[in-house]
């Protein structure tokens, strides 16, 4: 925003559409994990990349959710019907001032947990009536989160809880509290491709759902909001 004028990219975190931010993050991880000069400890690199991958995806989900609200706050009518605790802190209101108009989504998204597929589905369904994850994809994402959590909270060392959560054949021979989860290049690439597909689906479905909502409810957008709506449907923003 310059001199009170709101521009299309003001509706997005860091001034970049959420899909494009995720694309940049993924490109960085591809470069790191694909290097031909990785040491004998390459699996540690893949572990770190996997942890980052989940963090980037959760950030994307939060930024996409925020952008929907920033561009068209009217959709909060749907959200409020499902969730009666939608409030704004007075200090946040006073701090943001006029920019609250296009940053409302950022403020609200901080109040919610995007830490699982079911929670993400619930939030997006209440807001814009879409479910980013299918039942099969929920199961896959839960497996990914279990791996990520084991790496973050236990250094990858297999715990009793982890073995109970993951009835995978390759885990049967691992000793609880002794052996470690090993992330291979193929493991990381498989999860990266999985989340890329989810992100592209979310980008497309959010753009279509918000466009339909605006059209059906005859909502008039400013020129900046119209441009932001088009950017919302973009994944390859910098290509």
């Amino acid at each position: 925003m310059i001199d009170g004028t709101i521009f299309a990219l003001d509706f997005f975190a860091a001034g970049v559409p959420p899909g494009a931010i995720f694309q940049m993050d993924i490109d960085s991880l591809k470069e790191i994990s694909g290097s031909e000069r990785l040491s004998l400890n390459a699996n540690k690199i893949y572990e770190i990349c996997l942890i980052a991958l989940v963090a980037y995806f959760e950030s994307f989900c939060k930024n996409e959710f925020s952008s929907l609200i920033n561009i068209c706050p009217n959709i909060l009518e749907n959200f409020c019907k499902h969730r009666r605790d939608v409030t704004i802190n007075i200090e946040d209101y006073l701090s943001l001032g006029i920019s609250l108009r296009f940053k409302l989504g950022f403020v609200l998204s901080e109040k919610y947990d995007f830490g699982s597929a079911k929670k993400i589905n619930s939030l997006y369904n209440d807001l814009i009536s879409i479910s980013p994850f299918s039942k099969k994809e929920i199961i896959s994402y839960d497996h990914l989160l279990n791996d990520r959590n084991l790496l973050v909270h236990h250094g990858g060392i297999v715990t009793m809880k982890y073995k109970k959560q993951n009835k995978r054949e390759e885990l049967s021979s691992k000793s609880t509290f002794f052996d470690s989860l090993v992330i291979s290049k193929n493991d990381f690439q498989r999860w990266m491709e999985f989340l890329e597909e989810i992100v592209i689906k979310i980008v497309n479905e959010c753009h279509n759902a918000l466009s339909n909502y605006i059209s059906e409810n005859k909502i008039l957008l400013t020129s900046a909001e119209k441009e932001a709506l088009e950017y919302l449907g973009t994944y390859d923003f910098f290509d």
Side-chain angles (χ1 to χ4, degrees), residues 28-198:
S28 296
L29 293 181
K30 286 179 179 177
E31 183 176 352
I32 294 170
S33 63
S35 173
E36 298 297 332
R37 296 180 294 176
L38 293 181
S39 68
L40 294 176
N41 293 319
N43 292 115
K44 292 298 180 183
I45 299 297
Y46 302 136
E47 288 180 11
I48 295 169
C49 286
L50 186 72
I51 293 169
L53 176 66
V54 175
Y56 293 147
F57 176 73
E58 185 174 329
S59 176
F60 160 78
C61 291
K62 185 171 291 188
N63 288 339
E64 185 80 1
F65 181 89
S66 301
S67 298
L68 289 166
I69 299 170
N70 292 343
I71 295 170
C72 184
N74 301 64
I75 60 172
L76 284 173
E77 292 181 11
N78 290 339
F79 198 64
C80 291
K81 289 177 183 178
H82 297 284
R83 299 174 186 250
R84 298 296 181 180
D85 60 341
V86 183
T87 58
I88 293 292
N89 187 291
I90 293 298
E91 290 183 359
D92 294 337
Y93 172 80
L94 295 175
S95 174
L96 290 171
I98 190 173
S99 40
L100 180 64
R101 167 63 186 81
F102 57 91
K103 292 185 177 181
L104 181 59
F106 299 140
V107 176
L108 290 176
S109 67
E110 288 188 4
K111 300 175 180 293
Y112 298 102
D113 183 357
F114 291 77
S116 73
K118 289 183 178 179
K119 290 176 180 178
I120 291 169
N121 270 4
S122 177
L123 286 163
Y124 274 84
N125 185 60
D126 290 350
L127 182 68
I128 199 68
S129 301
I130 67 169
S131 296
F133 291 88
S134 66
K135 291 182 179 179
K136 184 178 179 180
E137 289 166 342
I138 288 175
I139 294 172
S140 295
Y141 191 61
D142 284 347
H143 286 165
L144 171 56
L145 287 182
N146 288 340
D147 286 356
R148 176 264 180 196
N149 291 340
L150 187 72
L151 293 171
V152 171
H153 301 296
H154 302 281
I157 299 174
V158 176
T159 64
M160 190 73 71
K161 179 180 179 181
Y162 180 79
K163 289 193 75 170
K164 289 179 179 178
Q165 291 173 329
N166 297 269
K167 304 297 184 181
R168 292 183 289 191
E169 185 177 343
E170 65 268 24
L171 288 177
S172 60
S173 62
K174 289 187 178 292
S175 299
T176 309
F177 306 120
F178 185 82
D179 289 329
S180 297
L181 173 68
V182 176
I183 303 297
S184 69
K185 184 175 184 178
N186 287 338
D187 291 330
F188 172 69
Q189 289 181 333
R190 173 169 54 86
W191 286 125
M192 181 171 58
E193 290 170 2
F194 169 71
L195 289 187
E196 276 190 292
E197 291 177 0
I198 298 292

